[in-house]
């Protein structure tokens, strides 16, 4: 008995001259491209943390940051060019300092995984960049032992550049032999920055180090402010001025940054400190800096008498401004106006001539006032060029500058041309228009619909630090945008962004009804979510979003609203908040919410009822009985469209809909070897985080899971064969962690994995992963995507925008298959099959990049088990095609669970036949009746969907669409009208 037999040929034509043999990546930058917000193009770069001016050439600047990499300008910031830091092994920079007229000192900042060391973000050393020869060299290693540290600043002694200082999060290091060897001169303190005051005579200087009397990493650690002085070229720092620094009433935590002010007399020189303090308690300290909200900014003035060595202190007025610590430590003295410019979240100034008056200016974000400055100030530098003072500010919107003049508040000009820095947190490309992207991420004020062909924004939406968007792969006019990273709001469009609906909120269906407006779900969804939206690539109309703690929501196109589809705590109690009656997030700590979320979804083309999804783990130290196990959940019911929150979704023996197929973590260590996190993944051990999941297109029960295990250097990807989990990480470096993964669904389980250092590739024929990162900046990618029309892999790099590369090609050029052809996945550029394919327990697939020839006499012999079929397809890897494979052109399914609608007639479309141009007339209805019009092409693909239509006449141009019969459906006032029109 024939169970399944399918012989299909999908053809993706490639242009002549396209290479068919490219196995290795060839990445190129896509965008978005910065253009100073000129001509209505509203893209603004993301954060940079440091800016330095060449003392030998004041028009020569460098800027960069932890995610931005390194950028150079030779025209005072009018335009920027990227510096390739890959040869130096960098994926982020913090400390920048000119060493000579040809050399720049650069501090490494490694963003991402640090196996076994208990930290995500660390530094590894200092490099020298020779900007004349564009070459890199290394300094000697800092004597840090096994300690993690972050380089905060680099300084050279003003009169002797063989003496170099490196400020770090664990102390101050000094070299007196040009960086060959180092000595730790201040230990167990957080050294933020270093400044120098010239002595009265000679060429010596007093050295001052500011920071905190505690050690930490990314943010500002618990402690009190630090300010220490040296008079022997930084060999020792015996003078401790820390106790003089101002703290607010009841405050015990603070962190200072220093700058040099004016010379008031022959011997008196001024030193200023800005303290960024917070009111939290040590046990509540967040090492990633988010605990810096609240508290305030405080200013202090020190007068150094260089004759007597005496120091006097003046506490300037405390301001109580909102502090935001964690790299936001900008302060500089303005000699033109006698101002002290400073900023953490906002840019402020104190008029020193007014004494202790609390006079400051906060430039509101993107208000346009005085040029407008994005939030979060990281660095301020003021330079004197022949009497003309210019202030540069590095912040979360790139770089601005202002010419300082006495009296008026300065106007800031954006200096972002060519500064292509973008914190891509989530993005989506159009399948049919490969140059169109929608993207968003942290520190991006707007959501941009970007045209890579024009290298400019097509549309810009007002959002706030959003998590990206999704473009419907079946209909690129449909887009959903995240509104911000701090809630469940979103925006929608069904016309490619020309019009966008207002902000909405998530809701659950009202009791007793389905897909109807109900009560607010109350989701908070704090924190950046790298993959916010998911789409079933095989069934049109299914777009989902996983939100913190509330499960999975499915988008309902007619109502333009998300509906609660799957709630993890309705599936199995132990998935979310086991240990008793624990409500989500019982302590109110937002940090916890980042751990408990739906972190990935995957589908299989074998059945419309295939779904796997991931739930991340979490732990609340204030409620140790409440924790979440990281879990892999599989749908095992018969009809996924008959399951939604509150209906047929229970995890029970009588009607099982779901199965928890997670690894047995307690025994997993013995399965994969060195797995120190596996024995106790719940409770206080947060060592395992799920990142992404993919299902094999040829076996709905075979899945791959990318995970993040900070304490285990051997496990990055797991494989599940339907019964057993195994480690699938061979070939991945032990010091890199997983961030995102995507599968080429027209290949033999070809997987692309993004780590914090690059991208790797592996398919089912390979025994290990191989690097796939040629020409790609060293930085982690939060999201990966494949476009099947041009056959490219895209990576959203956090800090460096979107990049793309041709897909990996089969290694074999010609493959000739003779009797018998065993069931398998065959890949080559040219495939010839001359005999029968015997279909047994798995499908037989011929994937050719150029041709598949089934010679006379070939036949597929069916097996006796389901899902055994023969499939021949043409799927290229380095050029565009004329059709897609993944997003099948099939009849769109009916709207699941929608109320039944009454059939009606009267819809008119003319002319028919036509040349692709036709008009649809919608009859009757009240003036306020709104219609929803959907059009399906001859293959069943939804090619148009628009709701809330008041017009009664719509014109269409489908001249570039496939020829054939199109189905037009109109829903209005609960009635369905439909007709067909022939495009010939």
């Amino acid at each position: 008995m024939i169970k399944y037999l399918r012989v299909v040929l999908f053809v993706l034509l490639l242009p002549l001259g396209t290479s068919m043999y490219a196995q290795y990546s060839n990445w190129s930058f896509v965008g978005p491209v910065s253009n100073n917000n000129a001509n209505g193009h509203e893209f603004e770069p993301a954060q940079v943390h440091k800016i330095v001016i060449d003392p030998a050439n004041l028009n020569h600047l460098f800027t960069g940051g932890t995610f931005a990499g390194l950028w150079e300008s030779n025209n005072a910031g009018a335009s920027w060019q990227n510096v390739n830091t890959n040869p130096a092994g960098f994926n982020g920079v913090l400390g920048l300092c000119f060493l000579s007229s040809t050399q720049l000192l650069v501090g490494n900042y490694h963003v991402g995984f640090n196996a076994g060391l208990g930290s995500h973000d660390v530094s590894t050393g200092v490099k020298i960049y020779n900007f004349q020869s564009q070459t890199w060299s290394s300094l000697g290693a800092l004597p840090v032992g096994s300690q993690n540290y972050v380089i905060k600043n680099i300084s050279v002694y003003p009169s002797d550049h063989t003496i170099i200082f490196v400020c770090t999060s664990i102390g101050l290091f000094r070299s007196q032999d040009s960086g060959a060897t180092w000595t730790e001169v201040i230990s167990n303190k957080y050294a933020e920055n270093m400044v120098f005051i010239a002595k009265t005579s000679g060429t010596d200087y007093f050295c001052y180090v500011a920071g905190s009397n505690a050690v930490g990493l990314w943010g500002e650690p618990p402690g009190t402010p630090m300010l220490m002085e040296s008079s022997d070229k930084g060999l020792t720092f015996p003078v401790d001025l820390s106790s003089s620094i101002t703290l607010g009433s009841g405050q015990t935590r603070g962190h200072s940054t220093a700058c040099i002010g004016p010379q008031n007399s022959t011997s008196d020189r001024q030193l200023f400190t800005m303290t960024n303090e917070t009111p939290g308690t040590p046990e509540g300290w967040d090492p990633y800096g988010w605990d810096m909200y609240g508290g305030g900014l405080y200013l202090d003035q020190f007068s150094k008498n260089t004759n007597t060595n005496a120091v006097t202190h003046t506490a300037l007025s405390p301001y109580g401004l909102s502090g935001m610590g964690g790299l936001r430590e900008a302060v500089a003295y303005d000699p033109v106006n006698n101002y002290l410019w400073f900023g953490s979240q906002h840019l402020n100034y104190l008029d020193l001539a007014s004494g202790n008056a609390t006079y400051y200016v906060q430039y509101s974000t993107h208000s346009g006032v005085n040029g407008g400055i994005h939030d979060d100030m990281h660095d301020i530098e003021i330079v004197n060029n022949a009497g003309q003072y210019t202030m540069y500010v590095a912040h979360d919107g790139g770089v601005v500058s202002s010419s300082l003049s006495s009296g008026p508040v300065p106007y800031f000009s954006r200096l972002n041309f060519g500064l292509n820095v973008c914190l891509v947190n989530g993005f989506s490309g159009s399948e049919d228009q490969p140059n169109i992207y929608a993207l968003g991420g942290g520190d991006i004020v707007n959501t941009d619909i970007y045209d890579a062909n024009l290298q400019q924004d097509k549309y810009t939406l007002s959002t706030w630090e959003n998590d990206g968007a999704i473009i419907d792969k079946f209909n690129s006019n449909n887009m959903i945008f995240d509104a911000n990273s701090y809630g469940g709001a979103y925006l929608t469009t069904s016309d490619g962004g020309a019009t966008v609906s207002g902000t909405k909120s998530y809701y659950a269906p009202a009791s007793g009804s389905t897909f109807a407006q109900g009560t607010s779900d109350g989701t908070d969804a704090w924190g950046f979510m790298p993959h916010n939206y998911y789409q079933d690539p095989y069934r049109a109309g299914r777009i989902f979003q996983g939100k913190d703690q509330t499960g999975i929501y499915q988008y309902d196109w007619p109502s333009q609203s998300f509906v609660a589809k799957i709630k993890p705590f309705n599936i199995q109690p132990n998935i979310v908040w086991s240990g008793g009656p624990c409500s989500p997030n019982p302590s109110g700590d937002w940090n916890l919410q980042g751990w408990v979320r739906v972190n990935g979804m995957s589908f299989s083309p074998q059945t419309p009822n295939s779904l796997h999804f991931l739930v991340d783990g979490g732990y609340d130290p204030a409620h140790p009985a409440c924790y979440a196990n990281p879990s892999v959940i599989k749908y095992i019911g018969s009809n996924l469209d008959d399951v939604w929150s509150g209906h047929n979704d229970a995890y029970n023996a009588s009607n099982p809909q779901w199965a928890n197929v997670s690894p047995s973590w307690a025994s997993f260590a013995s399965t994969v070897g060195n797995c120190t996190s596996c024995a106790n993944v719940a409770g206080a051990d947060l060592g395992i985080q799920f990142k992404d999941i993919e299902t094999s297109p040829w076996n709905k029960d075979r899945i791959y899971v990318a995970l993040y295990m900070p304490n285990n250097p051997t496990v990055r990807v797991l494989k599940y064969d339907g019964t057993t989990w195994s480690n699938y990480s061979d070939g991945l470096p032990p010091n890199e962690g997983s961030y995102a993964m995507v599968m080429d669904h027209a290949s033999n389980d070809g997987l692309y994995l993004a780590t914090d250092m690059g991208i790797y590739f592996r398919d089912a024929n390979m025994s290990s992963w191989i690097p796939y990162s040629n020409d790609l900046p060293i930085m982690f990618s939060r999201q990966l995507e494949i476009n099947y029309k041009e056959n490219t892999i895209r990576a959203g790099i956090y800090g460096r925008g979107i990049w793309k590369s041709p897909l990996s090609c089969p290694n074999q050029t010609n493959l000739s298959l003779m009797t018998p052809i065993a069931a398998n996945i065959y890949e080559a550029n040219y495939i010839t099959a001359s005999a029968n394919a015997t279909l047994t327990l798995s499908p037989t697939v011929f994937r050719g990049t150029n041709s598949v020839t089934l010679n006379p006499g070939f036949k597929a012999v069916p097996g006796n088990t389901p899902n055994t079929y023969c499939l021949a397809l043409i799927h290229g890897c380095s050029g565009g095609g004329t059709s897609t494979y993944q997003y099948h052109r099939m009849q769109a399914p009916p709207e699941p669970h929608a109320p039944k609608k009454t059939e009606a007639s009267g819809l008119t479309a003319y002319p028919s036949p036509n040349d692709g141009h036709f008009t649809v007339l919608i009859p009757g209805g009240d003036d306020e009746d709104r219609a929803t019009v959907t059009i399906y092409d001859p293959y069943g693909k939804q090619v148009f969907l628009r709701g809330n239509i008041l017009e009664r006449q719509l014109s269409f141009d489908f001249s570039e669409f496939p020829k054939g019969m199109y189905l037009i459906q109109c829903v209005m006032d609960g009635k369905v009208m439909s007709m067909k029109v022939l495009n010939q």
Side-chain angles (χ1 to χ4, degrees):
M1 177 180 179
I2 296 177
K3 295 293 186 180
Y4 290 86
L5 176 61
R6 197 160 78 230
V7 179
V8 186
L9 182 64
F10 291 97
V11 180
L12 300 184
L13 298 180
L14 294 173
L16 293 177
T18 299
S19 170
M20 300 302 301
Y21 308 99
Q23 175 63 47
Y24 301 104
S25 60
N26 182 21
W27 293 89
S28 59
F29 176 66
V30 172
V33 175
S34 170
N35 55 14
N36 276 337
N37 291 39
N39 302 320
H41 308 148
E42 296 301 322
F43 169 70
E44 181 180 53
Q47 60 185 234
V48 291
H49 294 114
K50 186 70 176 176
I51 187 166
V52 291
I53 298 95
D54 189 344
N57 177 4
L58 299 181
N59 291 318
H60 186 208
L61 283 64
F62 283 92
T63 191
T66 58
F67 309 111
L70 185 62
W71 300 80
E72 181 179 16
S73 173
N74 289 292
N75 52 15
S79 63
W80 299 89
Q81 301 80 40
N82 182 247
V83 175
N84 184 10
T85 59
N86 281 13
F90 281 12
N91 71 352
V93 303
L94 264 185
L96 297 176
C97 179
F98 280 91
L99 179 63
S100 69
S101 60
T102 62
Q103 295 175 315
L104 181 75
L105 294 172
V106 182
N108 166 277
Y109 188 88
H110 180 91
V111 182
F113 187 80
N114 187 22
L117 298 180
S119 171
H120 303 269
D121 309 322
V122 296
S123 294
T124 58
V126 180
K127 301 279 187 177
I128 296 178
Y129 176 60
N130 188 310
F131 43 83
Q132 286 192 347
S133 63
Q134 298 183 356
T135 57
W136 292 90
S137 57
S138 299
L139 297 184
L142 300 180
V144 297
S146 61
Q147 296 181 90
N148 292 329
Y149 70 98
V150 169
I151 292 174
K152 298 294 295 182
N153 266 293
I154 304 173
S155 301
V156 297
Y157 195 72
S159 59
D160 184 355
H161 284 197
T162 65
I163 301 176
I164 305 173
F165 298 92
V166 179
C167 294
T168 78
S169 61
I170 61 172
L172 176 69
F173 296 86
R174 178 184 187 272
S175 173
Q176 59 186 24
D177 54 11
S178 300
T181 60
W182 297 89
T183 302
E184 187 175 29
V185 292
I186 296 179
S187 60
N188 297 318
K189 296 182 187 298
Y190 194 109
E192 177 68 43
N193 77 322
M194 192 169 186
V195 294
F196 305 91
I197 290 179
K199 296 183 178 180
T200 302
S201 59
T203 58
D204 284 346
Y205 291 78
F206 294 99
C207 307
Y208 294 89
V209 175
S212 172
N213 279 300
V215 296
L217 280 174
W218 192 85
E220 297 167 351
T224 55
M226 176 188 71
L227 181 64
M228 303 185 72
E229 177 190 271
S230 170
S231 59
D232 56 6
K233 298 184 178 180
L235 283 169
T236 62
F237 285 82
V239 180
D240 191 343
L241 304 172
S242 305
S243 61
S244 299
I245 296 178
T246 302
L247 282 172
S249 176
Q251 303 295 324
T252 59
R253 297 171 52 193
H255 182 100
S256 287
T257 304
C259 74
I260 299 298
Q263 179 176 335
N264 287 353
S265 66
T266 303
S267 58
D268 284 347
R269 287 157 173 81
Q270 306 305 306
L271 171 70
F272 295 95
T273 62
M274 179 187 71
T275 298
N276 194 339
E277 68 168 24
T278 57
T281 57
E283 60 269 18
W285 175 61
D286 170 21
Y288 293 94
W290 290 105
D291 199 25
M292 296 299 104
Y293 287 103
L297 301 177
Y298 299 87
L299 304 176
D300 290 271
Q301 180 178 15
F302 295 86
S303 296
K304 174 68 175 181
N305 187 302
T306 56
N307 286 328
T308 65
N309 282 342
V311 176
T312 57
H313 167 256
T314 302
L316 303 177
S317 296
Y319 295 94
L321 301 179
S322 175
M324 280 192 62
L327 307 180
R328 301 170 181 90
E329 304 289 343
V331 60
Y333 174 73
D334 172 1
V336 177
N337 297 286
N338 195 25
Y339 289 169
L340 190 63
W341 289 92
F342 62 101
S344 185
Q345 183 175 5
H346 301 291
L347 181 63
N348 317 273
Y349 70 81
L350 171 68
D351 184 351
L352 293 170
S354 65
N356 291 339
T358 57
Y359 178 57
Y360 59 89
V361 171
Q362 292 183 312
Y363 291 94
S364 58
T365 302
H366 299 281
S367 66
V369 177
N370 300 316
I373 297 181
H374 193 114
D375 278 354
D376 300 346
M377 307 299 120
H378 298 293
D379 193 18
I380 302 172
E381 299 291 335
I382 297 176
V383 61
N384 178 10
N385 189 355
Q388 174 58 58
Y389 287 82
T390 301
M391 178 165 64
Y392 296 91
V393 182
H395 60 105
D396 272 10
V399 178
V400 296
S401 73
S402 176
S403 295
L404 298 177
S405 58
S406 180
V409 175
Y411 184 92
F412 290 94
S413 300
R414 292 186 174 99
L415 301 179
N416 292 328
F417 191 88
L419 189 63
N420 301 324
V421 177
C422 182
L423 299 180
V424 178
N425 203 49
F427 76 97
S428 180
S430 167
E431 180 66 22
D432 294 330
Q433 304 176 66
N435 285 315
I436 299 298
Y437 299 81
L439 73 159
D443 296 315
I444 298 176
V445 172
N446 299 312
T447 293
D448 300 299
I449 306 176
Y450 174 72
D451 188 326
N453 185 47
L454 300 177
Q455 292 195 339
Q456 67 184 45
D457 294 334
K458 184 177 180 181
Y459 298 105
T460 296
L461 308 176
S462 179
T463 56
W464 184 252
E465 295 191 344
N466 59 84
D467 289 320
I470 190 167
I471 300 176
D472 186 354
K473 305 308 178 186
F474 294 89
N475 182 352
S476 58
N477 283 323
N478 297 327
M479 304 180 186
I480 304 173
F481 309 95
D482 186 61
N484 61 71
S485 291
Y486 313 108
Y490 58 94
L491 304 100
T492 64
T493 180
S494 59
D495 53 17
T499 58
V500 180
S501 69
T503 301
K504 296 179 179 291
S505 297
Y506 283 82
Y507 65 88
S511 177
S513 64
T514 59
F515 278 57
Q517 182 75 42
T519 59
S520 172
D521 196 68
T523 183
D524 187 37
W526 247 78
F528 299 144
M529 299 178 67
H531 197 167
N532 211 17
Y533 298 101
Y534 307 90
Q535 180 164 15
D536 185 336
Y538 312 108
R539 269 73 62 185
R542 288 184 177 175
I543 291 180
F544 303 90
Q545 185 169 30
K547 300 297 287 187
D548 290 4
Q549 302 179 19
T550 61
I552 297 172
Y553 287 71
Q554 182 172 344
Y555 195 69
D556 179 49
W557 288 103
S559 65
Q560 295 186 340
S561 299
F562 279 99
V563 176
K565 178 70 173 178
I566 302 165
K567 294 220 174 178
F569 49 79
N570 289 339
I571 297 170
Q572 184 192 31
N574 287 335
I575 294 174
V576 174
W577 302 122
S578 63
C582 299
S583 62
N585 193 21
S587 68
D589 180 6
W590 80 268
N591 215 8
L592 181 62
Q593 300 175 35
W595 299 96
V596 185
R597 62 170 54 134
V598 174
N599 226 27
M601 301 178 67
S602 68
F603 306 83
S604 172
Q606 298 237 352
T607 170
N609 298 309
S610 170
L611 169 63
H612 292 83
F613 68 91
L614 303 174
V615 178
D616 232 346
Y619 172 70
D620 181 3
H623 295 74
C626 302
Y627 57 83
N629 292 322
S631 304
V632 183
I633 309 303
K634 175 183 179 180
Y635 180 67
I636 59 174
S638 59
N639 184 1
L640 186 59
D641 285 327
D642 193 37
V643 175
W644 63 91
S645 181
H647 172 78
N648 205 25
D649 66 339
Y651 183 94
N652 57 61
S654 61
N655 184 25
Q657 300 292 311
W658 305 95
N660 187 345
V661 297
S662 307
S664 175
W665 298 111
S667 60
F668 191 63
S670 61
T671 303
V672 301
N674 178 23
C675 185
T676 56
S677 294
C678 296
N680 178 26
V681 297
D685 189 344
L686 302 180
I688 298 177
Q689 302 171 42
F690 288 135
K691 292 299 184 182
D692 240 327
I693 183 170
E694 287 287 353
T695 304
S696 169
W698 320 117
N699 184 346
K700 66 180 180 60
D701 296 317
R702 185 167 64 227
I703 61 173
Y704 304 85
V705 175
L707 69 164
Y708 182 93
M709 302 178 70
N711 297 321
N712 183 4
T714 64
V715 182
R716 300 293 173 273
V717 181
L718 301 178
K719 179 182 178 181
Y720 182 64
D721 62 10
T723 58
T724 305
W725 288 92
S726 60
N727 190 0
Y728 201 68
S729 306
D730 290 342
L732 296 175
N735 60 339
E736 298 182 26
S738 301
Y739 278 84
M741 186 173 66
V742 69
M743 177 180 285
D744 179 353
H745 287 106
S747 70
N748 189 7
D749 289 7
L751 289 166
Y752 298 86
L753 178 73
T755 73
D756 49 326
M757 297 293 284
I759 292 177
Y760 296 83
F761 175 79
R762 181 178 181 179
D763 66 20
N765 290 323
M766 299 167 61
S767 60
S768 65
W769 297 84
I770 61 171
Y772 209 78
S773 299
N774 289 358
D775 305 318
L776 191 70
I778 299 175
M779 178 57 68
F780 65 86
S781 299
R782 293 277 187 133
Q783 188 175 339
L784 301 173
E785 186 178 88
I786 291 176
N787 180 276
Y788 290 88
K789 186 168 186 178
E790 68 171 17
N791 295 317
T792 55
I793 169 75
R794 285 91 177 274
I797 301 181
Y798 198 73
R800 297 295 303 277
I802 298 175
W803 292 65
K804 70 179 181 179
S805 168
L807 297 172
S808 177
C809 270
N811 286 322
Q812 192 162 0
T813 302
N814 296 292
L815 177 61
S816 181
L817 299 170
M818 308 296 290
T819 303
I821 303 174
N824 205 340
I825 313 295
Y826 298 95
E827 292 184 294
N829 296 294
Y830 301 87
I831 299 178
T832 301
S834 300
N836 65 291
T838 303
L839 312 181
T840 54
L841 298 178
S842 61
T844 299
V845 179
F846 307 113
R847 178 262 178 116
T849 59
N850 192 298
S851 68
V852 176
T853 302
L854 305 179
N855 282 335
F858 171 85
K859 62 179 179 179
V861 180
N864 293 319
T865 56
N867 297 322
T868 56
Y869 56 85
C870 183
L871 173 67
L873 63 99
I874 303 298
H875 174 51
C877 45
S878 55
T882 58
S883 62
T884 62
Y885 168 74
Q886 183 188 24
Y887 302 100
H888 292 288
R889 298 176 180 271
M890 60 173 59
Q891 181 66 41
E895 298 167 8
H897 325 307
K900 291 185 177 181
K901 299 166 183 173
T902 304
E903 290 289 338
S905 60
L907 190 68
T908 305
Y910 68 89
S912 180
N914 58 65
D915 60 357
H917 298 82
F918 59 93
T919 299
V920 175
L921 298 179
I922 302 174
D926 297 332
D927 291 341
E928 298 301 319
D929 285 345
R930 298 176 183 266
T932 297
V933 174
T934 310
I935 301 178
Y936 302 100
D937 72 5
Y939 303 96
K941 175 185 177 182
Q942 178 182 288
V943 293
F944 178 82
L945 172 65
R946 182 179 168 191
N948 296 319
I949 297 175
L950 287 173
E951 301 97 308
R952 294 297 180 256
Q953 179 173 314
L954 303 174
S955 297
F956 296 90
D957 178 2
F958 280 15
S959 57
E960 296 184 1
F961 282 41
K963 307 301 182 184
M965 191 70 69
Y966 283 74
L967 173 66
I968 306 171
Q969 183 183 78
C970 176
V971 180
M972 185 172 65
D973 194 25
K975 299 179 180 180
V976 177
M977 298 169 280
S978 61
M979 70 164 300
K980 295 181 179 180
V981 62
L982 177 62
N983 174 7
Q984 61 180 15

